[in-house]
Amino acid sequence: MKTIKNKQIAIVGGGPGGLTLARILQMNGASVKVYERDVSRSTRVQGTTLDLHYDSGLKALHKAGLMEAFNASYRPGADKLCVTDKQANMLLDEFSIEQGENARPEIDRGPLRDILLDSLQPGTVVWDSNFASLERQASSIKIEFKNGTAAYADLVIAADGANSKIRPYMTAVKPFYVGVTAVEGTVYDSANTIPHIHQLLRGGKIFTMGDEKSLIISSKGDGSLSFLIGFNADEFWVKNSGIDFADKAQVLAWFKTAFAGWAPIWDDLFVHASSAFIPRPQYCMPVDQTWEALPDLTMLGDAAHLMPPYAGEGVNMAMLDALELAECLLSDDFADTHAAIAAYEKQMRARAAEIAQMTLEQTAILHSPQALTHLLELFRPVE
């Protein structure tokens, strides 16, 4: 690890990618701090369930020495799914992804974050550190936070997500709108609040397609479920719709109109949802993006290659980024951090471009007239 020996490394963002990087670097003796905007570990309920892939997310966890903790925390059977049409007619029931290299075990975001946080040395994460700016000084980078504090580092890694405030220090390339907007909601205690949907879900996922629209429902280990409604819309639909997404009655009225002809069973998701819905216009970084490598600044995950969620690759790419960046920084094959970062970014961009292209194609077809046919062909086992 000669390239980072005696260097202070700052990771801005405490999501799965940033924490995985911190863990692997610490295992190898590097000096690392993670700066996270959340005020504390328990400030936010951590979002949806995640499926980790053998050759990316699980590979990173294995390298981080955390598979035993993962195996104790993931949710067996949560990878099972069913496919229905808009009338809730079952078209494919209880499909489960194979084991081994094809396995995609599910874990809630909260437990995954806990595994990673618990693996770090005490004091590694500095909470309430919402990034404001950075400035290169004579021998280091000064990072300023919105609470008035500052930190100094020799190397800064942006792991601050889709709306990264550090990315513009590296490149002016911005994401583009992909033509699909989603609305996310959560229902707590689904077994009692919406038992008919809960029974259909059976601890797994429901994929429902129709009229060039999608509904994906995912169970969570705490007894709640999350759902994501996707549809084709112009980029500024959220603003121009006039909908107050904190008002359940308004959102339900919109759903009943926009999804007219869908079974009444789906209305209950909106009737019993928690008070606030989250609209999510979908963006993607250009697949051909490039930038000049810097000796003291790089990025990973959504900050580097934001893409829609319709292929389940986001968290997996972030964790694989962390693994590959750590390997480059720890390798003695590079003369300095500039060379190590350049090597990492080259392979990361190539890999992300391929995955992003596949994700864009998946996003488009799931919001096309062929969505159900595509899903059934994708999920039905080969006989």
Side-chain angles (χ1 to χ4, degrees):
M1 54 175 285
K2 64 183 181 181
T3 60
I4 56 173
K5 187 176 181 180
N6 300 322
K7 291 185 182 295
Q8 179 61 45
I9 300 172
I11 300 169
V12 180
L19 295 176
T20 300
L21 177 60
R23 164 65 177 176
I24 297 173
L25 290 176
Q26 276 192 348
M27 290 173 65
N28 290 275
S31 180
V32 184
K33 288 286 188 183
V34 178
Y35 298 93
E36 167 56 40
R37 68 180 180 179
D38 285 351
V39 174
S40 71
R41 179 171 178 160
S42 59
T43 296
R44 283 188 299 155
V45 175
Q46 295 296 305
T48 57
T49 185
L50 305 167
D51 60 308
L52 298 191
H53 304 173
Y54 181 85
D55 58 354
S56 49
L58 293 177
K59 181 180 179 181
L61 282 182
H62 178 78
K63 185 71 173 184
L66 297 174
M67 282 305 298
E68 182 177 350
F70 174 80
N71 288 332
S73 300
Y74 86 100
R75 295 170 49 224
D79 62 332
K80 291 184 178 180
L81 58 87
C82 65
V83 178
T84 81
D85 63 16
K86 66 181 183 179
Q87 291 298 327
N89 296 310
M90 188 73 69
L91 303 179
L92 183 66
D93 188 11
E94 283 201 282
F95 170 76
S96 184
I97 294 176
E98 300 175 22
Q99 300 305 304
E101 294 189 8
N102 292 319
R104 292 187 172 189
E106 300 268 348
I107 186 170
D108 289 352
R109 188 178 290 269
L112 176 60
R113 192 190 204 195
D114 286 342
I115 289 170
L116 291 164
L117 286 171
D118 291 343
S119 75
L120 300 176
Q121 297 169 11
T124 299
V125 179
V126 183
W127 302 98
D128 191 24
S129 299
N130 195 347
F131 176 85
S133 64
L134 64 79
E135 176 186 0
R136 285 185 175 82
Q137 299 192 336
S139 58
S140 65
I141 295 178
K142 180 183 180 181
I143 312 167
E144 294 186 314
F145 302 101
K146 292 183 179 180
N147 62 6
T149 63
Y152 297 84
D154 301 293
L155 173 60
V156 176
I157 294 102
D160 54 341
N163 298 310
S164 173
K165 301 300 187 293
I166 300 179
R167 178 183 168 93
Y169 289 87
M170 287 172 268
T171 174
V173 176
K174 295 181 178 180
F176 65 92
Y177 179 64
V178 305
V180 170
T181 287
V183 175
E184 180 182 339
T186 299
V187 177
Y188 294 106
D189 189 21
S190 60
N192 292 310
T193 54
I194 48 173
H196 42 309
I197 294 180
H198 180 87
Q199 291 164 10
L200 190 64
L201 191 59
R202 286 172 293 184
K205 293 180 183 291
I206 300 170
F207 284 75
T208 300
M209 305 286 151
D211 303 332
E212 302 182 19
K213 301 176 176 70
S214 67
L215 166 61
I216 302 173
I217 308 175
S218 302
S219 64
K220 296 180 65 177
D222 63 359
S224 67
L225 62 79
S226 61
F227 61 93
L228 193 70
I229 299 279
F231 50 95
N232 297 308
D234 69 72
E235 183 174 5
F236 306 104
W237 176 85
V238 173
K239 179 181 178 180
N240 295 335
S241 69
I243 298 170
D244 178 359
F245 289 92
D247 185 331
K248 286 202 295 185
Q250 286 191 37
V251 179
L252 174 60
W254 160 75
F255 176 75
K256 290 171 75 71
T257 300
F259 285 66
W262 284 53
I265 186 176
W266 309 125
D267 294 355
D268 283 351
L269 291 168
F270 296 86
V271 172
H272 296 284
S274 61
S275 58
F277 297 86
I278 305 173
R280 297 191 183 280
Q282 297 300 310
Y283 289 85
C284 187
M285 291 297 176
V287 296
D288 60 349
Q289 67 171 335
T290 188
W291 60 84
E292 291 294 323
L294 299 172
D296 53 5
L297 190 59
T298 188
M299 54 187 163
L300 58 77
D302 284 350
H305 44 65
L306 174 65
M307 60 187 75
Y310 292 101
E313 294 288 354
V315 69
N316 288 284
M317 289 295 96
M319 294 174 74
L320 186 54
D321 288 349
L323 171 57
E324 293 183 352
L325 175 55
E327 289 177 338
C328 287
L329 292 174
L330 294 167
S331 173
D332 287 335
D333 293 339
F334 302 107
D336 52 29
T337 56
H338 198 171
I341 288 172
Y344 154 72
E345 290 181 347
K346 181 179 179 180
Q347 67 187 18
M348 176 265 287
R349 280 195 299 264
R351 169 171 49 79
E354 182 178 346
I355 296 297
Q357 185 60 49
M358 180 270 290
T359 299
L360 288 170
E361 293 168 2
Q362 185 85 336
T363 300
I365 201 165
L366 290 181
H367 300 93
S368 76
Q370 294 77 40
L372 274 175
T373 301
H374 169 74
L375 265 187
L376 294 173
E377 290 177 351
L378 183 67
F379 289 146
R380 275 189 177 132
V382 178
E383 297 182 357

